[in-house]
Amino acid sequence: MDTTAQASETKAPSPVLGGIVPYLQVDGAIKAAELYQKALGASLEDFHPVDEKGRTMHVHLYINGGSVMLNDPYPDYGHPYEAPAGFTVLLPVVDIDMWWKRAINAGMTVVMDLQVMFWGDRYGQLRDPFGVMWSMNEPVKS
């Protein structure tokens, strides 16, 4: 990803997809975007160029048919880093084994192994190197 490139002024912004859009503050938004491309098949839709400290105020990704936004902390503007806590980003997927393996191979760690849950779906949880918890879910075919 060329982080020195200027945001395109000729390209219309990509539409925001999904009924609710997670906007995640991570310490290293550009690096997180690169990881999500490898781990979750994300496509980079837009980003603001990084500043002299290597931070960006906005990254827009598409993951599995929905939008995810990222930004770095800006403590000098009243937005200090806060470690992710108390939430999990759920990815309902088809072919969970492929998604799971790709995420682990890209650097995510297993928190809860894939298993058939009491509600009948295969489900597992992963944490990325930025501290964000991701879960994957796929209905079990009968």
Side-chain angles (χ1 to χ4, degrees), residues 4-56:
T4 61
Q6 296 297 315
S8 173
E9 294 178 17
T10 59
K11 178 185 168 200
S14 297
V16 176
L17 304 177
I20 186 167
V21 177
Y23 209 124
L24 308 174
Q25 181 195 75
V26 294
D27 191 14
I30 294 295
K31 289 183 182 192
E34 291 169 348
L35 172 78
Y36 299 159
Q37 287 173 312
K38 291 176 190 164
L40 304 172
S43 65
L44 178 66
E45 294 304 311
D46 195 14
F47 73 96
H48 286 250
V50 297
D51 66 11
E52 66 282 350
K53 295 180 181 179
R55 307 174 299 186
T56 183

Side-chain angles (χ1 to χ4, degrees), residues 3-140:
T3 58
T4 61
Q6 296 297 315
S8 173
E9 294 178 17
T10 59
K11 178 185 168 200
S14 297
V16 176
L17 304 177
I20 186 167
V21 177
Y23 209 124
L24 308 174
Q25 181 195 75
V26 294
D27 191 14
I30 294 295
K31 289 183 182 192
E34 291 169 348
L35 172 78
Y36 299 159
Q37 287 173 312
K38 291 176 190 164
L40 304 172
S43 65
L44 178 66
E45 294 304 311
D46 195 14
F47 73 96
H48 286 250
V50 297
D51 66 11
E52 66 282 350
K53 295 180 181 179
R55 307 174 299 186
T56 183
M57 67 174 70
H58 179 72
V59 176
H60 182 181
L61 302 170
Y62 286 159
I63 300 175
N64 196 31
S67 288
V68 174
M69 311 288 189
L70 307 171
N71 70 286
D72 282 293
Y74 281 83
D76 41 336
Y77 291 98
H79 299 282
Y81 176 74
E82 295 180 26
F87 69 91
T88 302
V89 181
L90 173 65
L91 279 168
V93 298
V94 174
D95 193 2
I96 198 166
D97 293 310
M98 183 278 299
W99 281 82
W100 190 259
K101 182 178 179 183
R102 180 176 61 187
I104 291 169
N105 289 342
M108 292 189 171
T109 57
V110 176
V111 174
M112 176 191 290
D113 287 323
L114 276 178
Q115 56 194 294
V116 176
M117 300 302 289
F118 65 90
W119 62 85
D121 293 349
R122 288 187 72 210
Y123 176 88
Q125 294 179 337
L126 303 160
R127 187 177 311 278
D128 71 31
F130 302 92
V132 178
M133 181 83 84
W134 296 83
S135 61
M136 294 184 189
N137 188 83
E138 179 178 33
V140 173

